[in-house]
Amino acid sequence: MVTKDSIIGDVLDQYPETAQYFLEIGMHCLGCPSARNETVAQACMVHGVNADELIADINEFLAKNA
């Protein structure tokens, strides 16, 4: 399960297929060390995205593809 406090690098390492969701919010720097160390909440704040909606989308995707 992904939360606001999840570190993006950890999420991508465990669930690489979630990269599409980060790319959709304009986060094209997924390989950048600073981006990989941000929490989901921090990335959403920087990109002007609702963290709760992104997390819900990611967790729904993970539940369907478990």
Side-chain angles (χ1 to χ4, degrees):
M1 176 175 205
V2 177
T3 69
K4 288 183 184 181
D5 295 325
S6 296
I7 302 297
I8 292 173
D10 295 342
V11 174
L12 293 172
D13 289 345
Q14 188 168 6
Y15 311 109
E17 64 277 12
T18 62
Q20 66 187 3
Y21 292 95
F22 295 105
L23 293 171
E24 287 173 6
I25 68 166
M27 190 173 179
H28 300 284
C29 52
L30 295 179
C32 173
S34 61
R36 287 187 54 87
N37 290 317
E38 285 182 329
T39 65
V40 173
Q42 290 169 325
C44 286
M45 184 179 68
V46 169
H47 291 278
V49 174
N50 183 309
D52 292 322
E53 290 176 11
L54 177 63
I55 291 165
D57 290 344
I58 290 172
N59 284 326
E60 181 179 339
F61 171 81
L62 292 174
K64 287 181 182 177
N65 294 287

Short mmCIF file of all heavy atoms in Angstrom, two decimals:
data_model
loop_
_atom_site.label_atom_id
_atom_site.label_comp_id
_atom_site.label_asym_id
_atom_site.label_seq_id
_atom_site.Cartn_x
_atom_site.Cartn_y
_atom_site.Cartn_z
N MET A 1 0.85 -1.18 0.00
CA MET A 1 0.00 0.00 0.00
C MET A 1 0.89 1.24 0.00
O MET A 1 1.86 1.33 0.75
CB MET A 1 -0.91 -0.01 1.21
CG MET A 1 -1.75 1.22 1.32
SD MET A 1 -2.90 1.06 2.69
CE MET A 1 -4.15 2.16 2.13
N VAL A 2 0.55 2.19 -0.83
CA VAL A 2 1.27 3.45 -0.94
C VAL A 2 0.56 4.50 -0.09
O VAL A 2 -0.67 4.57 -0.08
CB VAL A 2 1.35 3.89 -2.42
CG1 VAL A 2 2.03 5.22 -2.56
CG2 VAL A 2 2.07 2.83 -3.25
N THR A 3 1.34 5.31 0.62
CA THR A 3 0.79 6.38 1.44
C THR A 3 1.47 7.70 1.07
O THR A 3 2.43 7.71 0.28
CB THR A 3 1.02 6.12 2.94
OG1 THR A 3 2.42 6.25 3.22
CG2 THR A 3 0.52 4.74 3.35
N LYS A 4 1.01 8.79 1.66
CA LYS A 4 1.64 10.10 1.43
C LYS A 4 3.10 10.10 1.87
O LYS A 4 3.91 10.84 1.32
CB LYS A 4 0.90 11.20 2.19
CG LYS A 4 -0.43 11.55 1.63
CD LYS A 4 -1.04 12.69 2.43
CE LYS A 4 -2.43 13.02 1.95
NZ LYS A 4 -3.01 14.13 2.70
N ASP A 5 3.42 9.29 2.86
CA ASP A 5 4.78 9.25 3.40
C ASP A 5 5.68 8.27 2.67
O ASP A 5 6.87 8.17 3.00
CB ASP A 5 4.74 8.91 4.89
CG ASP A 5 4.05 10.00 5.70
OD1 ASP A 5 4.21 11.19 5.35
OD2 ASP A 5 3.35 9.67 6.67
N SER A 6 5.14 7.54 1.70
CA SER A 6 5.96 6.59 0.94
C SER A 6 7.02 7.34 0.14
O SER A 6 6.73 8.39 -0.44
CB SER A 6 5.09 5.78 -0.01
OG SER A 6 4.16 4.98 0.68
N ILE A 7 8.22 6.80 0.13
CA ILE A 7 9.31 7.39 -0.64
C ILE A 7 9.17 6.91 -2.09
O ILE A 7 9.01 5.71 -2.34
CB ILE A 7 10.68 6.97 -0.07
CG1 ILE A 7 10.81 7.38 1.40
CG2 ILE A 7 11.84 7.52 -0.91
CD1 ILE A 7 10.77 8.86 1.66
N ILE A 8 9.20 7.84 -3.03
CA ILE A 8 8.95 7.51 -4.43
C ILE A 8 9.90 6.42 -4.93
O ILE A 8 9.48 5.50 -5.61
CB ILE A 8 9.02 8.76 -5.30
CG1 ILE A 8 7.82 9.65 -4.96
CG2 ILE A 8 9.03 8.40 -6.78
CD1 ILE A 8 7.83 11.00 -5.62
N GLY A 9 11.16 6.50 -4.57
CA GLY A 9 12.11 5.49 -5.00
C GLY A 9 11.73 4.10 -4.51
O GLY A 9 11.85 3.12 -5.24
N ASP A 10 11.24 4.04 -3.27
CA ASP A 10 10.80 2.75 -2.71
C ASP A 10 9.58 2.22 -3.46
O ASP A 10 9.48 1.03 -3.74
CB ASP A 10 10.48 2.88 -1.22
CG ASP A 10 11.70 3.21 -0.38
OD1 ASP A 10 12.85 3.00 -0.86
OD2 ASP A 10 11.51 3.68 0.76
N VAL A 11 8.65 3.12 -3.76
CA VAL A 11 7.45 2.73 -4.50
C VAL A 11 7.84 2.18 -5.87
O VAL A 11 7.37 1.11 -6.28
CB VAL A 11 6.47 3.92 -4.66
CG1 VAL A 11 5.30 3.54 -5.56
CG2 VAL A 11 5.97 4.40 -3.30
N LEU A 12 8.72 2.89 -6.56
CA LEU A 12 9.13 2.46 -7.90
C LEU A 12 9.93 1.18 -7.87
O LEU A 12 9.81 0.35 -8.79
CB LEU A 12 9.92 3.57 -8.59
CG LEU A 12 9.11 4.82 -8.92
CD1 LEU A 12 10.03 5.92 -9.42
CD2 LEU A 12 8.02 4.52 -9.93
N ASP A 13 10.73 0.98 -6.84
CA ASP A 13 11.49 -0.27 -6.72
C ASP A 13 10.56 -1.45 -6.50
O ASP A 13 10.77 -2.53 -7.06
CB ASP A 13 12.50 -0.18 -5.57
CG ASP A 13 13.66 0.75 -5.88
OD1 ASP A 13 13.86 1.11 -7.06
OD2 ASP A 13 14.38 1.12 -4.93
N GLN A 14 9.54 -1.25 -5.67
CA GLN A 14 8.63 -2.34 -5.35
C GLN A 14 7.55 -2.53 -6.42
O GLN A 14 7.14 -3.65 -6.71
CB GLN A 14 7.96 -2.09 -4.00
CG GLN A 14 7.15 -3.26 -3.49
CD GLN A 14 6.74 -3.10 -2.05
OE1 GLN A 14 6.96 -2.06 -1.43
NE2 GLN A 14 6.13 -4.12 -1.49
N TYR A 15 7.10 -1.42 -7.01
CA TYR A 15 6.02 -1.46 -7.99
C TYR A 15 6.40 -0.62 -9.21
O TYR A 15 5.87 0.48 -9.41
CB TYR A 15 4.73 -0.90 -7.40
CG TYR A 15 4.33 -1.45 -6.06
CD1 TYR A 15 4.41 -0.67 -4.91
CD2 TYR A 15 3.85 -2.76 -5.94
CE1 TYR A 15 4.03 -1.17 -3.67
CE2 TYR A 15 3.47 -3.27 -4.70
CZ TYR A 15 3.56 -2.46 -3.57
OH TYR A 15 3.19 -2.97 -2.35
N PRO A 16 7.33 -1.08 -10.04
CA PRO A 16 7.80 -0.27 -11.17
C PRO A 16 6.69 0.14 -12.13
O PRO A 16 6.79 1.18 -12.78
CB PRO A 16 8.83 -1.16 -11.87
CG PRO A 16 8.73 -2.50 -11.25
CD PRO A 16 7.98 -2.38 -9.98
N GLU A 17 5.63 -0.65 -12.17
CA GLU A 17 4.52 -0.33 -13.07
C GLU A 17 3.75 0.93 -12.66
O GLU A 17 2.94 1.45 -13.42
CB GLU A 17 3.57 -1.53 -13.20
CG GLU A 17 2.87 -1.92 -11.92
CD GLU A 17 3.67 -2.82 -10.98
OE1 GLU A 17 4.88 -3.01 -11.16
OE2 GLU A 17 3.06 -3.34 -10.03
N THR A 18 4.03 1.46 -11.45
CA THR A 18 3.36 2.69 -11.01
C THR A 18 4.01 3.94 -11.60
O THR A 18 3.48 5.05 -11.43
CB THR A 18 3.33 2.81 -9.47
OG1 THR A 18 4.68 2.88 -8.98
CG2 THR A 18 2.60 1.63 -8.84
N ALA A 19 5.11 3.79 -12.28
CA ALA A 19 5.79 4.96 -12.87
C ALA A 19 4.85 5.78 -13.74
O ALA A 19 4.93 7.00 -13.77
CB ALA A 19 7.00 4.50 -13.69
N GLN A 20 3.93 5.10 -14.42
CA GLN A 20 2.98 5.80 -15.29
C GLN A 20 2.20 6.87 -14.54
O GLN A 20 1.91 7.93 -15.09
CB GLN A 20 2.02 4.81 -15.94
CG GLN A 20 1.08 4.12 -14.96
CD GLN A 20 0.24 3.02 -15.58
OE1 GLN A 20 0.38 2.72 -16.75
NE2 GLN A 20 -0.62 2.42 -14.79
N TYR A 21 1.87 6.62 -13.28
CA TYR A 21 1.09 7.58 -12.50
C TYR A 21 1.92 8.82 -12.16
O TYR A 21 1.39 9.93 -12.17
CB TYR A 21 0.53 6.93 -11.23
CG TYR A 21 -0.52 5.90 -11.57
CD1 TYR A 21 -0.18 4.56 -11.68
CD2 TYR A 21 -1.82 6.27 -11.83
CE1 TYR A 21 -1.13 3.61 -12.03
CE2 TYR A 21 -2.78 5.34 -12.18
CZ TYR A 21 -2.42 4.01 -12.28
OH TYR A 21 -3.36 3.08 -12.64
N PHE A 22 3.19 8.62 -11.90
CA PHE A 22 4.05 9.76 -11.61
C PHE A 22 4.32 10.56 -12.88
O PHE A 22 4.36 11.79 -12.86
CB PHE A 22 5.36 9.29 -10.96
CG PHE A 22 5.14 8.68 -9.61
CD1 PHE A 22 5.21 7.31 -9.43
CD2 PHE A 22 4.83 9.47 -8.51
CE1 PHE A 22 5.01 6.74 -8.18
CE2 PHE A 22 4.61 8.91 -7.26
CZ PHE A 22 4.70 7.54 -7.09
N LEU A 23 4.47 9.87 -14.00
CA LEU A 23 4.68 10.56 -15.27
C LEU A 23 3.44 11.37 -15.65
O LEU A 23 3.56 12.48 -16.18
CB LEU A 23 5.02 9.55 -16.37
CG LEU A 23 6.36 8.84 -16.21
CD1 LEU A 23 6.49 7.71 -17.22
CD2 LEU A 23 7.52 9.81 -16.33
N GLU A 24 2.26 10.85 -15.37
CA GLU A 24 1.01 11.55 -15.69
C GLU A 24 0.87 12.87 -14.94
O GLU A 24 0.20 13.77 -15.43
CB GLU A 24 -0.19 10.66 -15.39
CG GLU A 24 -0.37 9.53 -16.39
CD GLU A 24 -1.47 8.55 -16.01
OE1 GLU A 24 -2.18 8.78 -15.01
OE2 GLU A 24 -1.60 7.54 -16.72
N ILE A 25 1.48 12.99 -13.77
CA ILE A 25 1.37 14.25 -13.01
C ILE A 25 2.50 15.22 -13.38
O ILE A 25 2.65 16.26 -12.78
CB ILE A 25 1.34 14.03 -11.48
CG1 ILE A 25 2.67 13.51 -10.94
CG2 ILE A 25 0.17 13.15 -11.09
CD1 ILE A 25 2.80 13.60 -9.42
N GLY A 26 3.29 14.83 -14.38
CA GLY A 26 4.36 15.72 -14.84
C GLY A 26 5.69 15.48 -14.17
O GLY A 26 6.61 16.28 -14.30
N MET A 27 5.80 14.38 -13.46
CA MET A 27 7.06 14.06 -12.78
C MET A 27 7.92 13.21 -13.71
O MET A 27 7.91 11.98 -13.64
CB MET A 27 6.77 13.33 -11.48
CG MET A 27 7.96 13.20 -10.61
SD MET A 27 7.51 12.51 -9.02
CE MET A 27 9.11 12.47 -8.29
N HIS A 28 8.63 13.87 -14.59
CA HIS A 28 9.41 13.18 -15.61
C HIS A 28 10.85 12.92 -15.15
O HIS A 28 11.66 12.40 -15.92
CB HIS A 28 9.40 13.98 -16.91
CG HIS A 28 8.02 14.16 -17.45
ND1 HIS A 28 7.33 13.16 -18.08
CD2 HIS A 28 7.17 15.22 -17.40
CE1 HIS A 28 6.13 13.59 -18.41
NE2 HIS A 28 6.01 14.84 -18.01
N CYS A 29 11.16 13.25 -13.92
CA CYS A 29 12.52 13.10 -13.41
C CYS A 29 12.62 11.92 -12.44
O CYS A 29 13.28 12.00 -11.41
CB CYS A 29 12.94 14.39 -12.71
SG CYS A 29 11.74 14.94 -11.47
N LEU A 30 11.97 10.82 -12.78
CA LEU A 30 11.90 9.68 -11.86
C LEU A 30 13.24 9.06 -11.54
O LEU A 30 13.41 8.44 -10.50
CB LEU A 30 10.96 8.60 -12.42
CG LEU A 30 9.50 9.01 -12.53
CD1 LEU A 30 8.69 7.86 -13.12
CD2 LEU A 30 8.95 9.42 -11.19
N GLY A 31 14.22 9.21 -12.43
CA GLY A 31 15.54 8.65 -12.17
C GLY A 31 16.45 9.57 -11.38
O GLY A 31 17.51 9.17 -10.93
N CYS A 32 16.02 10.79 -11.18
CA CYS A 32 16.81 11.78 -10.46
C CYS A 32 16.89 11.41 -8.98
O CYS A 32 15.87 11.09 -8.37
CB CYS A 32 16.16 13.15 -10.62
SG CYS A 32 16.89 14.44 -9.63
N PRO A 33 18.09 11.41 -8.40
CA PRO A 33 18.22 11.03 -6.98
C PRO A 33 17.35 11.85 -6.04
O PRO A 33 16.79 11.30 -5.09
CB PRO A 33 19.70 11.25 -6.68
CG PRO A 33 20.37 11.15 -8.00
CD PRO A 33 19.38 11.68 -9.01
N SER A 34 17.21 13.13 -6.29
CA SER A 34 16.40 13.93 -5.37
C SER A 34 14.93 13.56 -5.49
O SER A 34 14.21 13.52 -4.49
CB SER A 34 16.60 15.42 -5.62
OG SER A 34 16.22 15.77 -6.93
N ALA A 35 14.45 13.27 -6.69
CA ALA A 35 13.06 12.89 -6.88
C ALA A 35 12.79 11.53 -6.23
O ALA A 35 11.75 11.32 -5.62
CB ALA A 35 12.71 12.83 -8.35
N ARG A 36 13.72 10.61 -6.35
CA ARG A 36 13.53 9.27 -5.78
C ARG A 36 13.48 9.31 -4.25
O ARG A 36 12.94 8.39 -3.64
CB ARG A 36 14.64 8.33 -6.24
CG ARG A 36 14.51 7.94 -7.71
CD ARG A 36 15.50 6.88 -8.11
NE ARG A 36 15.47 5.69 -7.27
CZ ARG A 36 14.67 4.64 -7.45
NH1 ARG A 36 13.83 4.63 -8.44
NH2 ARG A 36 14.74 3.61 -6.65
N ASN A 37 14.01 10.35 -3.64
CA ASN A 37 14.03 10.45 -2.18
C ASN A 37 12.91 11.29 -1.61
O ASN A 37 12.82 11.46 -0.40
CB ASN A 37 15.39 10.97 -1.71
CG ASN A 37 16.48 9.94 -1.91
OD1 ASN A 37 16.29 8.76 -1.64
ND2 ASN A 37 17.61 10.37 -2.43
N GLU A 38 12.05 11.81 -2.48
CA GLU A 38 10.90 12.58 -2.03
C GLU A 38 9.78 11.63 -1.61
O GLU A 38 9.66 10.53 -2.14
CB GLU A 38 10.35 13.47 -3.15
CG GLU A 38 11.16 14.67 -3.45
CD GLU A 38 10.52 15.53 -4.53
OE1 GLU A 38 9.83 15.01 -5.42
OE2 GLU A 38 10.74 16.74 -4.49
N THR A 39 8.94 12.13 -0.72
CA THR A 39 7.72 11.38 -0.41
C THR A 39 6.71 11.69 -1.51
O THR A 39 6.84 12.67 -2.26
CB THR A 39 7.12 11.79 0.94
OG1 THR A 39 6.70 13.15 0.88
CG2 THR A 39 8.10 11.58 2.08
N VAL A 40 5.69 10.86 -1.58
CA VAL A 40 4.62 11.10 -2.55
C VAL A 40 4.00 12.46 -2.28
O VAL A 40 3.72 13.22 -3.21
CB VAL A 40 3.58 9.96 -2.50
CG1 VAL A 40 2.39 10.28 -3.38
CG2 VAL A 40 4.21 8.64 -2.90
N ALA A 41 3.78 12.80 -1.02
CA ALA A 41 3.18 14.09 -0.66
C ALA A 41 4.04 15.25 -1.13
O ALA A 41 3.51 16.25 -1.65
CB ALA A 41 2.95 14.17 0.84
N GLN A 42 5.35 15.16 -0.96
CA GLN A 42 6.24 16.23 -1.39
C GLN A 42 6.19 16.41 -2.91
O GLN A 42 6.12 17.54 -3.40
CB GLN A 42 7.68 15.94 -0.96
CG GLN A 42 7.90 16.05 0.52
CD GLN A 42 9.25 15.50 0.95
OE1 GLN A 42 9.75 14.52 0.39
NE2 GLN A 42 9.84 16.13 1.96
N ALA A 43 6.21 15.32 -3.64
CA ALA A 43 6.16 15.39 -5.10
C ALA A 43 4.84 16.01 -5.56
O ALA A 43 4.83 16.83 -6.49
CB ALA A 43 6.34 14.02 -5.71
N CYS A 44 3.76 15.62 -4.93
CA CYS A 44 2.46 16.17 -5.30
C CYS A 44 2.40 17.66 -5.03
O CYS A 44 1.84 18.42 -5.83
CB CYS A 44 1.34 15.44 -4.56
SG CYS A 44 1.05 13.78 -5.21
N MET A 45 2.96 18.10 -3.92
CA MET A 45 2.97 19.51 -3.59
C MET A 45 3.73 20.30 -4.65
O MET A 45 3.26 21.32 -5.14
CB MET A 45 3.59 19.74 -2.22
CG MET A 45 3.56 21.18 -1.76
SD MET A 45 4.28 21.41 -0.12
CE MET A 45 5.99 21.05 -0.46
N VAL A 46 4.90 19.80 -5.04
CA VAL A 46 5.73 20.48 -6.04
C VAL A 46 5.02 20.56 -7.39
O VAL A 46 5.13 21.55 -8.10
CB VAL A 46 7.10 19.76 -6.18
CG1 VAL A 46 7.87 20.26 -7.37
CG2 VAL A 46 7.91 19.93 -4.90
N HIS A 47 4.30 19.49 -7.73
CA HIS A 47 3.66 19.42 -9.04
C HIS A 47 2.20 19.87 -9.03
O HIS A 47 1.51 19.77 -10.05
CB HIS A 47 3.78 18.00 -9.59
CG HIS A 47 5.19 17.65 -9.94
ND1 HIS A 47 5.78 18.02 -11.13
CD2 HIS A 47 6.16 16.99 -9.24
CE1 HIS A 47 7.03 17.60 -11.15
NE2 HIS A 47 7.29 16.99 -10.01
N GLY A 48 1.72 20.37 -7.88
CA GLY A 48 0.36 20.90 -7.80
C GLY A 48 -0.72 19.86 -8.00
O GLY A 48 -1.74 20.13 -8.63
N VAL A 49 -0.49 18.67 -7.45
CA VAL A 49 -1.42 17.56 -7.62
C VAL A 49 -1.97 17.16 -6.26
O VAL A 49 -1.27 17.22 -5.26
CB VAL A 49 -0.69 16.36 -8.28
CG1 VAL A 49 -1.57 15.14 -8.35
CG2 VAL A 49 -0.19 16.74 -9.65
N ASN A 50 -3.22 16.73 -6.24
CA ASN A 50 -3.84 16.25 -5.00
C ASN A 50 -3.25 14.89 -4.65
O ASN A 50 -3.46 13.91 -5.37
CB ASN A 50 -5.36 16.16 -5.20
CG ASN A 50 -6.08 15.74 -3.94
OD1 ASN A 50 -5.73 14.75 -3.30
ND2 ASN A 50 -7.09 16.50 -3.59
N ALA A 51 -2.54 14.82 -3.55
CA ALA A 51 -1.86 13.59 -3.13
C ALA A 51 -2.86 12.47 -2.84
O ALA A 51 -2.61 11.32 -3.18
CB ALA A 51 -0.99 13.85 -1.91
N ASP A 52 -3.99 12.81 -2.24
CA ASP A 52 -4.97 11.78 -1.91
C ASP A 52 -5.50 11.10 -3.17
O ASP A 52 -5.70 9.88 -3.19
CB ASP A 52 -6.13 12.38 -1.10
CG ASP A 52 -5.69 12.83 0.28
OD1 ASP A 52 -4.86 12.13 0.90
OD2 ASP A 52 -6.17 13.88 0.74
N GLU A 53 -5.74 11.89 -4.22
CA GLU A 53 -6.24 11.32 -5.48
C GLU A 53 -5.18 10.43 -6.13
O GLU A 53 -5.51 9.34 -6.62
CB GLU A 53 -6.66 12.43 -6.44
CG GLU A 53 -7.91 13.15 -5.99
CD GLU A 53 -8.27 14.32 -6.90
OE1 GLU A 53 -7.68 14.46 -8.00
OE2 GLU A 53 -9.17 15.09 -6.51
N LEU A 54 -3.94 10.88 -6.15
CA LEU A 54 -2.87 10.09 -6.75
C LEU A 54 -2.70 8.77 -5.99
O LEU A 54 -2.61 7.70 -6.60
CB LEU A 54 -1.55 10.86 -6.77
CG LEU A 54 -0.34 10.08 -7.30
CD1 LEU A 54 -0.55 9.69 -8.76
CD2 LEU A 54 0.94 10.88 -7.13
N ILE A 55 -2.68 8.83 -4.69
CA ILE A 55 -2.51 7.63 -3.88
C ILE A 55 -3.68 6.67 -4.09
O ILE A 55 -3.49 5.46 -4.22
CB ILE A 55 -2.35 8.01 -2.39
CG1 ILE A 55 -1.00 8.71 -2.20
CG2 ILE A 55 -2.46 6.79 -1.49
CD1 ILE A 55 -0.87 9.44 -0.90
N ALA A 56 -4.89 7.21 -4.15
CA ALA A 56 -6.06 6.36 -4.40
C ALA A 56 -5.94 5.66 -5.75
O ALA A 56 -6.22 4.46 -5.87
CB ALA A 56 -7.34 7.18 -4.33
N ASP A 57 -5.52 6.39 -6.78
CA ASP A 57 -5.35 5.81 -8.11
C ASP A 57 -4.30 4.70 -8.09
O ASP A 57 -4.51 3.62 -8.65
CB ASP A 57 -4.96 6.87 -9.13
CG ASP A 57 -6.08 7.84 -9.46
OD1 ASP A 57 -7.25 7.53 -9.14
OD2 ASP A 57 -5.78 8.90 -10.04
N ILE A 58 -3.17 4.98 -7.46
CA ILE A 58 -2.09 3.99 -7.41
C ILE A 58 -2.53 2.75 -6.64
O ILE A 58 -2.33 1.62 -7.09
CB ILE A 58 -0.81 4.59 -6.80
CG1 ILE A 58 -0.21 5.63 -7.76
CG2 ILE A 58 0.20 3.50 -6.47
CD1 ILE A 58 0.94 6.42 -7.18
N ASN A 59 -3.13 2.94 -5.48
CA ASN A 59 -3.54 1.80 -4.67
C ASN A 59 -4.65 0.99 -5.34
O ASN A 59 -4.69 -0.24 -5.22
CB ASN A 59 -3.93 2.24 -3.26
CG ASN A 59 -2.71 2.56 -2.42
OD1 ASN A 59 -1.66 1.94 -2.56
ND2 ASN A 59 -2.83 3.55 -1.57
N GLU A 60 -5.54 1.67 -6.06
CA GLU A 60 -6.57 0.96 -6.81
C GLU A 60 -5.93 0.10 -7.90
O GLU A 60 -6.29 -1.07 -8.08
CB GLU A 60 -7.56 1.94 -7.42
CG GLU A 60 -8.68 1.29 -8.19
CD GLU A 60 -9.66 2.30 -8.78
OE1 GLU A 60 -9.72 3.45 -8.31
OE2 GLU A 60 -10.36 1.92 -9.73
N PHE A 61 -4.97 0.67 -8.61
CA PHE A 61 -4.25 -0.08 -9.64
C PHE A 61 -3.54 -1.29 -9.04
O PHE A 61 -3.62 -2.40 -9.57
CB PHE A 61 -3.23 0.85 -10.32
CG PHE A 61 -2.29 0.13 -11.24
CD1 PHE A 61 -2.68 -0.22 -12.52
CD2 PHE A 61 -1.02 -0.20 -10.83
CE1 PHE A 61 -1.80 -0.89 -13.37
CE2 PHE A 61 -0.12 -0.87 -11.67
CZ PHE A 61 -0.54 -1.21 -12.93
N LEU A 62 -2.87 -1.10 -7.92
CA LEU A 62 -2.14 -2.20 -7.27
C LEU A 62 -3.10 -3.29 -6.79
O LEU A 62 -2.79 -4.48 -6.93
CB LEU A 62 -1.30 -1.67 -6.11
CG LEU A 62 -0.14 -0.77 -6.49
CD1 LEU A 62 0.52 -0.19 -5.25
CD2 LEU A 62 0.86 -1.50 -7.37
N ALA A 63 -4.26 -2.91 -6.28
CA ALA A 63 -5.23 -3.90 -5.81
C ALA A 63 -5.76 -4.73 -6.98
O ALA A 63 -5.95 -5.95 -6.85
CB ALA A 63 -6.37 -3.20 -5.09
N LYS A 64 -6.00 -4.09 -8.11
CA LYS A 64 -6.52 -4.80 -9.28
C LYS A 64 -5.49 -5.72 -9.90
O LYS A 64 -5.84 -6.69 -10.54
CB LYS A 64 -6.98 -3.79 -10.34
CG LYS A 64 -8.25 -3.09 -10.00
CD LYS A 64 -8.66 -2.14 -11.12
CE LYS A 64 -9.91 -1.39 -10.78
NZ LYS A 64 -10.25 -0.40 -11.83
N ASN A 65 -4.22 -5.38 -9.73
CA ASN A 65 -3.16 -6.14 -10.38
C ASN A 65 -2.33 -6.97 -9.41
O ASN A 65 -1.22 -7.39 -9.75
CB ASN A 65 -2.26 -5.18 -11.16
CG ASN A 65 -3.01 -4.55 -12.30
OD1 ASN A 65 -3.30 -5.19 -13.30
ND2 ASN A 65 -3.36 -3.28 -12.15
N ALA A 66 -2.87 -7.20 -8.24
CA ALA A 66 -2.15 -7.97 -7.21
C ALA A 66 -2.09 -9.45 -7.56
O ALA A 66 -2.88 -9.99 -8.23
CB ALA A 66 -2.79 -7.77 -5.85
#
